[in-house]
Amino acid sequence: MTLIISCLTEDYAIQVSDRRLTYPNGKIADDNANKVVDWGGWVAFGYTGLAEILSKPTDQWLSEALLINTPLHGGISLDEAIESARVKATRDFKRIPGQDKRFTTVGVGWAQMLDTNESKPQLIDFNRIKPTMYWISNCLDDEGNTMAKPYEEFKANSIIFNIPPHNFVVKAIGQPISHNISVQLYRNIARCVKQRGIGPEPITRFLIETIRDVAEENITVGRNVMVACIPKESLRRNIIPMSDGSRGFYVSSSKPQKFDRTFLYVPDGQDEGNEEGTNFVLGGSWLRGFRVERGENKSLGKVSWEPMRIEPGATQGTIFFEDGTFAHFISPPQKMVIDEYEQVISNIDKTFASSNRINHANDLIDGVIYELNKLIELNKENHQNYVKRSIYYQKLGKYDEALIDANKAISLAPQSDKGFVKRGFVFIEINKFDEAKDDFDTAIGINPNCAKAYCGMGSIYGHKSQYDSAITNLKRALLLDNELCAAYGNLGSIYMLKGDYDSAILEYDKALTLNDELNQFHKVYFGRGLTYLKKRSYIKAINDFNEAITLDLSNSLYFHNRGIACHKIGKLDLAIRDQNKAIELNPIFAEAFDFRGVAYSLTGELGQAISDFNEAIKLKPDYCQAYNNRGLLYFNADDLDKALADFNMSLSLKPNMEAYYNRAGLFLKKKEFENAKKDFKEALKFENDPAFHKKIINKIKAIDEYNYAFDFI
């Protein structure tokens, strides 16, 4: 066993390891082994133990073990790759002779937290990306303590950390570190993280010094070290979609940087490293023999590697940049995804262009109403013409005129169901559900086979959250008329509210194949967009919101929710523009102010963010989420008193997971650890997701790590 030390902060994942390993016969290997495998740009794996496994260098064996499920465009889970490597390790180590076959691989980097109904994120969401540690081992217990003898079965584990500003977590795997060296390392890193704007280089230097200090006391630890540093910001351009559909990744120069990944070999006696050694596992391919040779001005150079496995049909190459960085890329069959993304974003601009001119469809409706006016002048006793004109007034949002025409139709033909059905739908639009129900009951009394009346009843029950009654009425409507667009659309909305997203999308899809007689398509697209938003299929959501906005340019909800989806894929400029439009259409839209405030806080416009949160609270004093978001902004600005007041107010208005979780982080920062534990336990009550429970339980167990920010395994 040798030594790996990993350090995680809110901004950086850093791992330093010596290069000394042992052979299965116990002989110490030369100090020249590569001990870092980069997985898709998200996680760097180091390892301790054997120099080779079944006659293969361990870095090669580990690269092959982790090859499954590497990310195509970032953001997917490592779970399947970890499990595949665990199974392979258990199988292969049974074939290795010898007694001391202890082996551990430790990964540090980043993971995007998933929701309950999400198998993998669609695109990167930086709000949910957290520092993470993985390990696969036959000699660590569930708490991460090293055992004297190896297990027969390898175990795998992971911890996702929510590290507050100016805090850190350090873990060491392998040979023990003395108390004095441990305390000195803790103090040095603590000083680093307290300095605003400091990069990863000072922390890395202290980790290197620690390994070399241990090497003075322990011959099994070497002085030549490997360094891997993955800043969170590096994920913003990793993996890079290029114009030809390929993927690339950036690697920085000979010192750890704030924005680019760094992989270095630092020989004994040197402070700066050489860019070499690391294996890369990316998109079904893996490379070894990585090395960069730079010219005198350090700005350009050449890179070499040995391609061990390249996915079928992929090509490879190198792009150089004048700032000294380079990108290696491998072309995958993913161009369709990138093209779709770019096309959807382009369509947002098109809908904005449409929203700034008169809607041509409204002009056409005005023309239809003009013709109906002439027909009514010719025959004022024909109730059907009033019903038709009422439909078109409703399409224009002229509900008073629509009601007048529906009333006239009923007065002319009180034994016809059509006037009552029409008036019932107008009442729904203006939220008069009791009056609407009376009209639909009357229509059904006149005509028991009136499909549209049952459809309206289903809509009313849906608004009242009586979902089973809603589904019964909507299915009755479809039995009577299986081409009723509104019934499919309403059924989709009910399934969405019940959380059955797949069934909802199926019903929305059916609705969009039919005739849009009741002007429902904009609602159907919006409903399906909301469903995709809940499924975190953000590109599909944006696509549907685009369609809804094209059909109805005056609905603030459509712009607001498209802004949320744009926010989720990191397009904050588009998110802010959509919330601006939502506020323009509805100046008292508290939720739009709140979401715009969140976007401004992420772009660094903190004054504007506070102003928006204040406005949201002014418009909606019981808006608990706005208090929580403002509190989080104060927390990040180290104004803990104001943050605590806002979290408390949010919880007094409505107990919620986010405020408990954020307040727990605040208590951790104030070193009020018992209060932090209580809030973490309260947060557990709001979420049934096993992964979330595991994460919170790990936080509660690791409370001492947040106290002392230091834990050697």
Side-chain angles (χ1 to χ4, degrees), residues 38-57:
D38 175 80
W39 190 89
W42 285 70
V43 180
F45 284 90
Y47 56 88
T48 72
L50 301 181
E52 61 180 36
I53 299 173
L54 298 182
S55 300
K56 287 184 179 180

Side-chain angles (χ1 to χ4, degrees), residues 309-345:
R309 170 176 163 178
I310 299 295
E311 61 187 319
T315 59
Q316 54 179 333
T318 302
I319 297 177
F320 292 96
F321 299 87
E322 291 186 359
D323 64 358
T325 63
F326 74 93
H328 168 70
F329 63 88
I330 301 174
S331 300
Q334 289 294 308
K335 194 172 191 306
M336 183 183 302
V337 175
I338 296 167
D339 284 349
E340 178 189 6
Y341 172 81
E342 293 174 349
Q343 183 61 47
V344 168
I345 297 301

Side-chain angles (χ1 to χ4, degrees), residues 1 6 50 60 463 607:
M1 301 288 286
S6 303
L50 301 181
Q60 177 179 340
H463 279 95

Side-chain angles (χ1 to χ4, degrees), residues 629-685:
N629 287 333
R630 189 175 69 179
L632 192 58
L633 189 61
Y634 285 137
F635 174 82
N636 290 329
D638 286 331
D639 194 340
L640 300 188
D641 291 338
K642 288 184 178 179
L644 181 59
D646 274 347
F647 294 149
N648 289 341
M649 178 60 77
S650 177
L651 291 169
S652 70
L653 292 168
K654 180 181 178 182
N656 62 92
M657 184 271 289
E658 292 85 357
Y660 276 120
Y661 187 88
N662 290 331
R663 193 172 70 175
L666 184 147
F667 284 138
L668 281 176
K669 195 167 188 177
K670 296 180 71 173
K671 301 189 183 302
E672 297 180 19
F673 300 112
E674 289 306 314
N675 286 334
K677 286 181 181 180
K678 289 178 184 177
D679 274 2
F680 279 135
K681 290 176 181 178
E682 289 297 323
L684 281 175
K685 298 177 182 178

Side-chain angles (χ1 to χ4, degrees), residues 64-115:
E64 293 174 353
L66 292 169
L67 195 60
I68 184 174
N69 258 14
T70 51
L72 295 176
H73 51 79
I76 74 170
S77 171
L78 251 176
D79 289 346
E80 290 182 88
I82 292 288
E83 177 60 17
S84 173
R86 186 196 68 79
V87 171
K88 179 177 174 60
T90 297
R91 181 182 66 245
D92 289 355
F93 270 65
K94 289 178 180 178
R95 299 166 56 193
I96 298 175
Q99 295 298 317
D100 192 357
K101 298 187 288 185
R102 290 180 295 172
F103 180 81
T104 299
T105 180
V106 184
V108 296
W110 306 90
Q112 181 159 314
M113 297 166 60
L114 306 178
D115 281 355

Side-chain angles (χ1 to χ4, degrees), residues 9-13 42-43 109-111 129-132 230-232 235:
T9 73
E10 63 172 341
D11 297 315
Y12 307 112
W42 285 70
V43 180
W110 306 90
I129 292 175
K130 303 294 181 183
T132 306
I230 305 180
K232 184 176 181 180
L235 304 181

Side-chain angles (χ1 to χ4, degrees), residues 395-413:
K395 287 177 183 286
L396 290 176
K398 296 182 177 181
Y399 300 123
D400 290 340
E401 291 88 339
L403 280 176
I404 291 171
D405 274 358
N407 289 334
K408 183 65 175 179
I410 290 170
S411 68
L412 291 172

